[in-house]
Amino acid sequence: DVKVTQSSRYLVKRTGEKVFLECVQDMDHENMFWYRQDPGLGLRLIYFSYDVKMKEKGDIPEGYSVSREKKERFSLILESASTNQTSMYLCASKTGGGGYTFGSGTRLTVV
Amino acid sequence: SQQGEEDPQALSIQEGENATMNCSYKTSINNLQWYRQNSGRGLVHLILIRSNEREKHSGRLRVTLDTSKKSSSLLITASRAADTASYFCVGAGNNRKLIWGLGTSLAVNP
């Protein structure tokens, strides 16, 4: 069964910490995405990558960076976590004209 | 960017009834996709309908697409309690960036 795996389901971090959210897919997909989902705001795109070492900003990239050193892995980095980054983070991948495959999500709380 | 907006925002039905959700989008698309999200989990891809298709079936799901009206509908027949979830649509085109709606929250009461 093909999968997108996010390393943590729940995460609690302190303000100012550097946070790494990992996402791995086993489908050889070119495109990978990081979203955050907040009540009343829906899914918002943070960053996406269409190839190894390639990245593009989404709609809300401020306070985040990403890394794609290998095709299967797309990491989201919060350089200095803040309380307004408390959210559900969703990773997804896709290839060509097909649908997205999402991970189970990481619920991050910044205290 | 492509976009999906779902209607109604919330829907509550009894088990065994049919549930219909609607979706509108603003720009031209290559395909339209429907997803389900159970509470606190990731989204699951349900069905994809291409712009040259008008209707598609998958099990208890029936999706229609009207490109002239830029709208789609998702029908779930003979609903079950396990269908309780939020449902999202998104239109996909040449732009890799998609804009997702807030979804339709479906409650199926036993």
Side-chain angles (χ1 to χ4, degrees):
Chain A
D1 196 18
V2 293
K3 272 186 183 174
V4 174
T5 303
Q6 293 184 232
S7 52
S8 304
R9 283 281 289 131
Y10 299 96
L11 211 51
V12 180
K13 295 292 181 181
R14 296 197 179 277
T15 301
E17 276 193 74
K18 190 168 187 177
V19 181
F20 293 86
L21 302 183
E22 305 288 348
C23 176
V24 178
Q25 51 99 358
D26 63 1
M27 298 164 284
D28 203 36
H29 284 172
E30 301 88 7
N31 303 294
M32 296 188 74
F33 305 79
W34 274 107
Y35 288 92
R36 63 178 283 178
Q37 185 178 28
D38 302 286
L41 296 176
L43 275 81
R44 292 180 292 167
L45 181 63
I46 304 171
Y47 267 97
F48 65 102
S49 168
Y50 51 87
D51 202 352
V52 176
K53 295 191 187 295
M54 305 300 285
K55 61 185 179 183
E56 282 197 33
K57 292 180 180 179
D59 298 312
I60 51 163
E62 296 79 19
Y64 303 93
S65 62
V66 290
S67 172
R68 188 136 181 232
E69 295 297 317
K70 294 183 179 181
K71 191 174 187 179
E72 67 270 20
R73 185 180 296 270
F74 191 36
S75 303
L76 180 69
I77 303 153
L78 286 65
E79 297 290 343
S80 177
S82 63
T83 54
N84 63 12
Q85 292 179 309
T86 291
S87 186
M88 168 71 101
Y89 289 87
L90 293 166
C91 175
S93 73
K94 74 184 293 287
T95 189
Y100 287 73
T101 302
F102 280 83
S104 296
T106 295
R107 187 166 293 281
L108 172 68
T109 302
V110 182
V111 298
Chain B
S1 300
Q2 284 74 40
Q3 185 175 29
E5 289 187 10
E6 301 84 3
D7 172 62
Q9 289 188 351
L11 185 59
S12 181
I13 60 174
Q14 295 301 120
E15 210 165 20
E17 293 181 343
N18 296 341
T20 300
M21 287 160 268
N22 301 300
C23 168
S24 61
Y25 58 93
K26 294 187 175 179
T27 61
S28 61
I29 58 171
N30 295 330
N31 64 70
L32 187 128
Q33 303 164 32
W34 283 91
Y35 292 80
R36 184 189 73 232
Q37 184 180 34
N38 291 91
S39 180
R41 308 291 294 187
L43 281 73
V44 175
H45 181 251
L46 293 176
I47 196 166
L48 181 153
I49 184 166
R50 302 197 186 282
S51 59
N52 60 354
E53 298 175 306
R54 291 297 167 258
E55 187 171 313
K56 197 164 184 178
H57 296 255
S58 176
R60 293 184 296 113
L61 305 180
R62 173 177 166 256
V63 169
T64 62
L65 180 63
D66 186 337
T67 52
S68 66
K69 295 181 179 178
K70 291 186 168 58
S71 67
S72 173
S73 67
L74 171 67
L75 169 66
I76 304 174
T77 60
S79 63
R80 306 166 182 169
D83 294 328
T84 294
S86 292
Y87 292 82
F88 296 84
C89 70
V90 65
N94 297 323
N95 192 330
R96 290 188 180 91
K97 293 171 64 173
L98 307 179
I99 299 177
W100 298 75
L102 298 180
T104 290
S105 178
L106 173 66
V108 181
N109 305 303

